[in-house]
Structures are given as structure tokens and as C-alpha cells.
Amino acid sequence: MEHVFVTGATGFVGQRLLGALAQEVDGFSSHVRLRVLTRIPHPDYESVVCDLQSDNVPDDALNGVDAVFHLAGYAHDLHAENKVENRYRTVNVDATVRLAELAVASGVKQFVFVSSVKAGGPTVLGQCSSEKDQGAPEGIYGRTKREAEIQLLDIGRKSGMNVSIVRPSLVYGPDVKGNLCMMMSWIDKGRFPPLPEIKNRRSMIHVDDLVRVLLLVAKDERANGEIFIATDGNPYSSREIYDAMCHVLKKPVPKWSVPKLLFDIIGLMSPRLQYKVDKLLGDECYSSDKLQSLGFKARRSLREMNETAF
């Protein structure tokens, strides 16, 4: 692959992907020509300026491109779903399908789509869900990601363009954003109480290992037309996540914890609080056995979240 197109290039995963493509990583030449889709011109790479919420990707955006890594998406809006559903659908489904159709018309050979484990529906308590455990996705984010997956696979079958889909579990790594960043900040400030060990299981993956997954499925013919869940292979309990963050922050791990009963009582106060307790202490376990069958093995664990894999 000599000419690669990346959307979502300025995001947490996208920046690491660009860095990997600019090096000699996992069989990709450091001489790969990169083109990115951004809302403002990128200072280092050839740019196609486009806002997927309001613009169509220019017809010539993929001229000469061999492979597309489509990372851009819309997620984690705090507004009520009915107020932003159109935005989710516009970016996650309509823009994705248009980009894939343009890729076919432009002769692109490989299309890699970053979806989400949410597209597979809810996990089952006590089990690590695989790609075969497809349920009805909960929430507009998961539903739109699943709709995009279905249409992309259909486009791939009809056109002959290789399409591979990756469903990352929760991504960690240097400069992580969102809830993990907030949790680490509160632990660092002594404001996050030690969680109880209840043996729940939550799947995660280092951002650089996720990048390695994207590169792997882009070059392995066995990945064509397939969906892969990406984890580091080591489910963590919420307490293990807490302890790992203390390790990363070089803070002593408390020998005590808040009793689980207190969280149960908090959850009874309102559905909103119960949702937060479930997100903190619930199970979200996934199997990446299918991905490992291609030869993937994670190089980093949560205790190494601030280290890099390449």
C-alpha cells in the first residue's frame, strides 16, 4: 500500500495511526504517502478539508489511494438521543457509506472501518462476548455503528473491494481522554475512593495495539469481509483498573476499599445513579480469539498504559 487515506486523523487513535504509518511498522513502509480528511488543514500531511456532519467528501479525495482507514465517527453526546439522532446517523452511517462508495469508484483496494463493541449489542453476565454473539445494539451510537457495518460489508461483497471491520473495546494509552482520563485525574488528586474487588471483567486495549490491529487486518487477506473484536486479551476487574492507575501514577495502592453495599445503596437512589454504578462496576467482557487467530498478540497491558508499542 503506497497511498493511504485516514479519517479521524486528529483523534486519539488517529494520531497514533499516522505516527505508525510514518514509520517502518509491522510491514508498512515508512515511505507510505498519507492523505487525511480533516475539518482544518493538517500541518504535516496532505489534507482533504471536509466536515462529515455537513459536507460531502469531494469526488477526487480518494484519487490514487490504495487503502482507507475510516476512524471518524460521532459518539458520546450528552444530549438526549432524540435530539442528536440525526447527527449520529449523518456521520456514522450516511458519511461512512458515501465514503465507501467513493472508494469503490476510485479503485481503492482496502477499506478498514473502526466500529465499536457497542455494535454487537449488550454483553452477557459471566461471559466474554465474541463476534458470533450478535445482539440488538443498545443506544443510537451502537445502532448506527451496526447499520454502517452491514452496509459496508454489502458494498464489499458487491464491488470486490476488501472491507474489514474492527470493534475496539475501551482504548487506553498515553494522553487518553474521556472517563479513563477523569478517573486517573481523580485518583491522582485523592478524590476517587478505592473500588471493591467484585471480580467483574472489563475488556480494554492499548491504543498502539489497536493501531497494530488496524495494520494487520489491512494487509491480511483473511480479514476481508470480517468483523474483529480488539482487546488486549486480559479482562480487568474495576479494582484492578484502579490499582493499575495507582501504579501508573506511582501512588501507593490503598489497602482498603469502599464496600459494594454502599454502591448498591447509591444505585437505588435514581436510575441515573444506577446507570453510573453499572458503568463503573459492571461486566463488559469481550473475546478477541478471532483476531488472535490471525496472529495478533497485544504488547501492552493496562499497567503499561503510558508506554508505547512502537
Side-chain angles (χ1 to χ4, degrees):
M1 298 181 189
E2 297 179 355
H3 198 172
V4 174
F5 185 85
V6 179
T7 75
T10 59
F12 177 49
V13 179
Q15 292 181 66
R16 302 298 298 171
L17 175 61
L18 289 183
L21 288 169
Q23 304 177 42
E24 188 80 28
V25 173
D26 289 355
F28 276 75
S29 168
S30 59
H31 301 295
V32 166
R33 181 181 172 189
L34 293 172
R35 184 183 302 166
V36 301
L37 184 144
T38 60
R39 281 176 287 189
I40 58 174
H42 196 287
D44 300 318
Y45 302 105
E46 179 184 358
S47 302
V48 174
V49 178
C50 177
D51 185 343
L52 294 179
Q53 291 189 40
S54 56
D55 305 326
N56 288 328
V57 180
D59 291 341
D60 61 352
L62 301 181
N63 286 355
V65 168
D66 301 305
V68 170
F69 291 90
H70 184 36
L71 281 66
Y74 191 75
H76 309 309
D77 196 304
L78 298 178
H79 296 87
E81 284 191 358
N82 60 343
K83 295 182 179 180
V84 292
E85 180 170 356
N86 184 62
R87 195 175 302 169
Y88 275 98
R89 194 163 301 283
T90 296
V91 176
N92 292 351
V93 182
D94 299 342
T96 297
V97 171
R98 285 199 303 269
L99 184 64
E101 291 173 342
L102 181 59
V104 171
S106 303
V108 171
K109 302 179 182 69
Q110 180 70 51
F111 193 102
V112 178
F113 176 54
V114 177
S115 183
S116 167
V117 288
K118 299 299 183 184
T123 56
V124 178
L125 183 65
Q127 297 182 18
C128 289
S129 297
S130 73
E131 296 83 357
K132 296 179 181 179
D133 301 314
Q134 179 65 51
E138 295 179 335
I140 188 62
Y141 177 65
R143 291 197 299 271
T144 52
K145 283 292 189 179
R146 181 56 181 158
E147 288 178 35
E149 289 181 355
I150 292 170
Q151 295 198 51
L152 284 178
L153 292 174
D154 186 55
I155 290 171
R157 283 190 295 267
K158 291 178 178 178
S159 68
M161 178 177 68
N162 284 9
V163 172
S164 302
I165 295 169
V166 175
R167 292 176 176 174
S169 53
L170 185 60
V171 183
Y172 60 87
D175 302 317
V176 68
K177 309 296 183 185
N179 290 337
L180 288 179
C181 177
M182 186 182 302
M183 183 176 176
M184 283 196 70
S185 175
W186 286 358
I187 291 174
D188 193 32
K189 296 174 182 177
R191 295 171 55 191
F192 201 101
L195 298 174
E197 179 55 87
I198 59 172
K199 304 298 182 182
N200 65 320
R201 295 187 295 174
R202 306 184 71 86
S203 294
M204 307 174 75
I205 187 169
H206 191 285
V207 62
D208 288 348
D209 281 324
L210 176 55
V211 167
R212 291 177 52 240
V213 171
L214 301 180
L215 299 180
L216 173 62
V217 301
K219 68 179 183 179
D220 195 318
E221 285 290 333
R222 294 174 295 174
N224 180 30
E226 299 290 342
I227 296 173
F228 297 92
I229 292 173
T231 80
D232 65 12
N234 299 300
Y236 305 91
S237 70
S238 297
R239 175 65 195 218
E240 287 173 331
I241 295 172
Y242 178 92
D243 290 354
M245 289 186 172
C246 288
H247 172 81
V248 170
L249 293 167
K250 296 181 170 54
K251 297 180 72 70
V253 178
K255 296 181 180 180
W256 62 281
S257 64
V258 176
K260 172 65 163 53
L261 178 61
L262 180 58
F263 287 97
D264 293 337
I265 293 172
I266 292 172
L268 292 174
M269 293 179 179
S270 74
R272 181 172 175 270
L273 288 174
Q274 184 61 61
Y275 173 80
K276 290 182 177 294
V277 170
D278 290 342
K279 291 295 291 182
L280 185 62
L281 298 177
D283 271 25
E284 281 194 19
C285 188
Y286 301 92
S287 168
S288 55
D289 288 351
K290 182 177 177 181
L291 183 62
Q292 291 169 12
S293 72
L294 297 186
F296 172 75
K297 184 177 181 180
R299 295 177 182 172
R300 291 286 177 256
S301 68
L302 187 59
R303 283 179 173 258
E304 304 165 297
M305 69 180 301
N306 282 345
E307 300 181 26
T308 58
F310 42 77

